[in-house]
């Protein structure tokens, strides 16, 4: 099976939304191993990020805010 080469039509992506940007972030060794074990690691990461946005991740308090509230 041919590996997807970064073309939006290969990713089950909406045709109007081209995948033109890259995102890099640090993870633990264990997290990397778990993601690499998935059938399609890039698509798994895209779906996980999209799910977090749908669940309102941006509206959650930051760790600093939680610590400040606990200290009260």
């Amino acid at each position: 099976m041919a590996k997807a080469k970064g073309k939006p039509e290969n990713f089950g992506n909406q045709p109007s939304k081209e995948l033109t940007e890259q995102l890099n972030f640090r993870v633990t060794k264990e997290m990397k191993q778990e993601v690499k074990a998935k059938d399609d690691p890039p698509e798994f990461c895209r779906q996980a990020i999209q799910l977090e946005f749908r669940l309102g991740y941006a509206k959650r308090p930051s760790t600093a805010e939680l610590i400040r509230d606990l200290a009260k």
Side-chain angles (χ1 to χ4, degrees), residues 3-62:
K3 187 173 182 175
K5 298 289 184 183
K7 297 179 182 175
E9 60 268 16
N10 292 337
F11 297 117
N13 186 36
Q14 294 178 2
S16 65
K17 299 203 178 195
E18 293 187 25
L19 302 175
T20 59
E21 303 300 315
Q22 290 188 340
L23 180 64
N24 297 305
F25 52 92
R26 295 186 181 278
V27 296
T28 64
K29 189 173 189 173
E30 293 79 15
M31 288 173 64
K32 181 179 178 181
Q33 290 170 346
E34 287 184 41
V35 170
K36 290 287 186 184
K38 301 292 181 187
D39 291 335
D40 187 354
E43 184 61 24
F44 171 80
C45 290
R46 279 189 286 276
Q47 289 179 3
I49 292 168
Q50 288 173 352
L51 178 61
E52 283 296 321
F53 282 129
R54 278 189 226 121
L55 293 175
Y57 180 79
K59 296 177 184 175
R60 292 183 194 162
S62 69

Side-chain angles (χ1 to χ4, degrees), residues 57 60-72:
Y57 180 79
R60 292 183 194 162
S62 69
T63 303
E65 291 171 326
L66 290 173
I67 292 170
R68 186 181 64 233
D69 289 345
L70 288 173
K72 289 182 180 178

